[in-house]
Structure formats: C-alpha cells, structure tokens
C-alpha cells in the first residue's frame, strides 16, 4: 500500500496524535472542546435513558424498562455480587455509574457524527481512575485502620523476614502505583489505538478515492475494512468498560476482605 | 488480591462457579501488575545504582531481582493457596 501511495506522488498525511487535539468550539478555553461536550452528552444520555426506563416501572416490564434492568442486573450480578461478596450492595451505585459512563463514552467512538471516544484523551481515564483509587483505599483504611492496612499490604504472612526487603517495595508499588497506572493506561491506550486504526482506514480510503482512476477501486477495500473494524471496535469498547469495572470491583473486594 | 478469591460467599448457591470464573479474568491483570511493578521498582533501583556508581551491570541484577520478586509474589498470592 505504501509503495502505491508513493507512486501517486503527493504525500498521504497519516493520522497522528494531532488528530486527538480539538480546537475549542467557542471561546478560548480547554473546557469547550469536543471531548468535554461529549462527556456532558454522555451524562445526559445515561440519565435520560435510565430515568425513562425506570419511571413507569411495572411488574411486566416494557421494552425500555427491560433494557435498563438488564444493564443494571448485569452490573449488580456479575460485577457486584459475584466479585465483592456479601457487602456488595453498598458499591453497586458506584460500579453502575462507572460502567455506564465508561461504556457510553467509549461507544461514542463509533457513533456517526460524534465519532470520538472520549476516553482516548488521557485526562478522562485518569480522573475516573482517581475516583477508584481514592475509593478502594478509603474503604480499606476505614475498615482496617491505616496501620493495619499498610501492614496487610506490605507484609505478607508466612515468609522469612529478610525477604521482606525485596518483596515489600514491590507490593507497595503494586497497590499504590501500578494498579491505578495500568487501570488508566489500559482504557486510554485501547481507545486511542482503536480510534487511530479507524482513522487510518477512513482517511486512507478518502485519499485513495481522490487518487488516479485505477487506485480508486482500492478505496472500496479500505472503507470496507473501516466498517468491519467498527464492529470490532464495538467489541473492544464494551470489553474495556467491562474490564475497567471488573477491576474496580476486584480492588474493592480486596479492600473489604477480612485479611490479605 | 488473593483474598478476593475466598471471601465472596454468594447468596445464590450456583453463583460460585461463575464468580470464580470472573475472578480469574481479573487475576490476569493482577499478575500483570505484579510483574510490572517488580521490574519497574528493582530495575529502577539497578539503573539508579548504575548511574551513581558508574557501572553497567547493576540494572541487569535489578531486573532479575524484580522479576523474581514479582513471580514470587504471584506464586504466593495465587498458587500457594
């Protein structure tokens, strides 16, 4: 493909991280860019959907109510009760908000005209990860007390004392650095890479369409690929929302567990 | 993290198999986190020591220590029980 592009003369400008920078829609503030509006839109959409689905709650559910209850039931059963255990009910609202928020913002990546996954700007994953981070440490500290929690995290029972010199820093780094880091990075990187992939095939298709007569045919393949990858992206977006919430539930489960 | 495994007594009896399957999904990422932090911490210590002592082999030793620490923790948290 690159050889073909070179032959056609004018350079193809591949999508880059610059495609993720948006100019403010109005004013001159970083708070009026497209991702911020998408984030607000997601909140409005989620709220509208669940208020509508729960407003006329009936024993024989309407289709909308059924859809809303399925999502809630999934988070409550699979991510709440099965992972956290008996105390799960306290955390269901948090998990549910996280799951729907991440899922909606991810799905914006393949919604026509919106076409940008909010989570591919690193600031959004970082801020929700901060909520999770504060949440699971706070739960654990309130349950066990600060000193006992630190002892539980850093000193695993049943190993000889000198080995602690090697293991304790690693345990500490895992709980306080690597966990939040991987949580945010995984979501960000998946959304970033997915959006870039879609950009490559659509922009490439567009470029091929503008090229010479014979090459035009190949743009068809490029666009077909872009559509196929959109379905693939749909899977990734749902999976990432699930993984993010699952890991949050696991961290909370670790925090409410009686001992480490 | 291992404590996640044994505390979740579900009110639904047939939920336990499903619950353990879900936890195995999550265990993968915990294992990943242990490996990363072991390598980063001890590899970083090795690199720092190299920098100040003007040597070049300590980072390798650091990485090996970090790898074994990570693997050791994974063994203790996930396999020994």
């Amino acid at each position: 493909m690159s050889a073909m592009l070179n032959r056609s003369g004018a350079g193809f400008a591949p999508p880059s991280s610059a495609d993720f920078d948006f100019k403010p829609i109005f004013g001159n503030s970083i708070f009026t860019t497209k991702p911020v509006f998408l984030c607000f839109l997601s909140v409005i959409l989620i709220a509208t959907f669940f208020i509508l689905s729960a407003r006329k709650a009936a024993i024989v559910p309407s289709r909308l109510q059924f859809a809303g209850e399925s999502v809630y039931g999934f988070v409550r059963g699979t991510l709440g009760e099965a992972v956290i255990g008996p105390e799960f009910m306290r955390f269901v609202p948090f998990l549910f908000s996280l799951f729907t928020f991440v899922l909606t913002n991810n799905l914006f990546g393949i919604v026509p005209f919106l076409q940008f996954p909010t989570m591919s700007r690193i600031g959004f994953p970082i801020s929700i990860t901060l909520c999770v981070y504060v949440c699971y440490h706070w739960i654990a500290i309130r349950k066990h007390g600060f000193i006992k929690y630190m002892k539980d995290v850093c000193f695993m029972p049943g190993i000889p004392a000198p080995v602690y010199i090697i293991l304790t820093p690693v345990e500490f780094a895992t709980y306080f650095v690597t966990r939040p880091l991987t949580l945010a990075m995984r979501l960000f990187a998946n959304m970033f890479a997915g959006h870039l992939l879609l950009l490559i095939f659509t922009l490439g298709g567009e470029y091929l369409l503008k090229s010479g007569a014979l090459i035009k045919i190949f743009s068809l393949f490029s666009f077909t690929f872009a559509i196929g990858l959109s379905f693939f992206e749909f899977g990734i977006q749902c999976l990432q929302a699930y993984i993010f919430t699952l890991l949050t539930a696991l961290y909370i489960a670790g925090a409410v567990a009686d001992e480490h | 993290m291992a404590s996640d495994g044994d505390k979740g007594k579900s009110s639904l009896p047939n939920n336990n198999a499903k619950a353990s399957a879900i936890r195995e999904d999550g265990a993968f990422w915990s294992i990943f986190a242990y490996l990363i932090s072991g390598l980063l911490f001890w590899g970083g210590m090795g690199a720092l020591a190299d920098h100040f002592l003007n040597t070049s082999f300590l980072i390798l030793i650091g990485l090996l220590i970090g790898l074994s620490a990570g693997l050791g923790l994974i063994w203790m948290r996930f396999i020994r029980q």
Side-chain angles (χ1 to χ4, degrees):
Chain A
M1 188 167 162
S2 66
M4 201 157 50
L5 290 177
N6 287 340
R7 216 187 305 145
S8 68
F12 168 65
S16 69
S17 61
D19 286 301
F20 291 80
D21 294 326
F22 290 95
K23 289 207 167 55
I25 294 176
F26 58 84
N28 197 18
S29 161
I30 53 163
F31 297 110
T32 55
T33 54
K34 183 178 174 183
V36 178
F37 283 116
L38 285 179
C39 183
F40 280 121
L41 178 67
S42 75
V43 175
I44 295 170
L45 284 179
I46 294 166
T48 318
F49 176 71
F50 285 106
I51 288 171
L52 281 181
S53 72
R55 203 179 47 173
K56 278 187 254 162
I59 295 173
V60 181
S62 65
R63 228 174 275 165
L64 193 65
Q65 187 190 343
F66 180 73
E69 281 176 359
S70 312
V71 180
Y72 175 73
F74 170 72
V75 176
R76 180 181 160 156
T78 310
L79 297 170
E81 187 173 15
V83 176
I84 300 180
E87 289 179 70
F88 76 101
M89 210 48 215
R90 274 198 295 155
F91 307 108
V92 170
F94 181 55
L95 294 176
F96 183 65
S97 319
L98 264 185
F99 179 74
T100 49
F101 182 69
V102 175
L103 181 66
T104 315
N105 277 295
N106 285 351
L107 287 181
F108 281 163
I110 55 167
V111 173
F113 303 112
L114 300 177
Q115 279 166 324
F116 185 77
T118 323
M119 295 296 160
S120 65
R121 293 300 311 239
I122 185 84
F124 292 95
I126 284 180
S127 37
I128 51 176
T129 301
L130 271 180
C131 299
V132 174
Y133 186 67
V134 171
C135 174
Y136 78 83
H137 284 309
W138 175 248
I139 291 166
I141 288 171
R142 223 177 48 170
K143 172 143 183 159
H144 304 292
F146 184 73
I147 297 188
K148 184 174 179 300
Y149 178 52
M150 284 299 140
K151 220 180 105 235
D152 280 343
V153 168
C154 297
F155 300 101
M156 193 189 297
I159 48 174
V163 185
Y164 282 133
I165 300 171
I166 295 174
L167 293 190
T168 300
V170 177
E171 283 267 50
F172 188 82
T174 303
Y175 270 75
F176 289 92
V177 183
T178 321
R179 272 182 175 187
L181 201 70
T182 50
L183 198 61
M185 286 303 280
R186 176 172 43 251
L187 180 58
F188 158 73
N190 271 289
M191 290 306 108
F192 183 87
H195 189 58
L196 208 57
L197 201 62
L198 289 182
L199 276 181
I200 285 176
F201 279 98
T202 42
L203 291 181
E206 195 189 354
Y207 180 80
L208 289 171
L209 197 64
K210 284 181 195 151
S211 318
L214 200 61
I215 297 178
K216 271 193 174 53
I217 301 165
F218 290 101
S219 79
L220 189 69
F221 291 105
S222 192
F223 282 127
T224 315
F225 243 90
I227 292 168
L229 280 172
S230 296
F231 286 104
F232 176 69
E233 269 307 300
F234 175 75
I236 302 279
Q237 286 159 348
C238 296
L239 188 71
Q240 286 309 316
Y242 166 73
I243 296 258
F244 193 93
T245 324
L246 170 69
L247 284 172
T248 306
L250 277 171
Y251 297 161
I252 292 175
V256 294
D258 286 333
E259 59 197 56
H260 285 271
Chain B
M1 283 308 294
S3 44
D4 308 342
D6 27 31
K7 292 296 166 199
K9 289 187 187 67
S10 175
S11 53
L12 304 169
N14 63 346
N15 239 13
N16 280 336
K18 189 177 150 204
S20 69
I22 294 167
R23 281 199 205 90
E24 271 165 30
D25 276 359
F28 170 76
W29 291 107
S30 308
I31 288 170
F32 181 71
Y34 274 125
L35 279 178
I36 293 278
S37 40
L39 286 172
L40 277 186
F41 183 81
W42 285 107
M45 287 305 235
L48 271 182
D50 268 345
H51 181 76
F52 287 112
L53 303 175
N54 287 322
T55 51
S56 61
F57 64 97
L58 286 174
I59 184 168
L60 183 67
I61 294 177
L63 286 172
L64 286 175
I65 291 176
L67 190 62
S68 38
L71 289 174
L73 279 172
I74 291 164
W75 180 73
M76 281 179 254
R77 287 275 195 225
F78 295 100
I79 299 171
R80 195 172 56 171
Q81 292 163 347

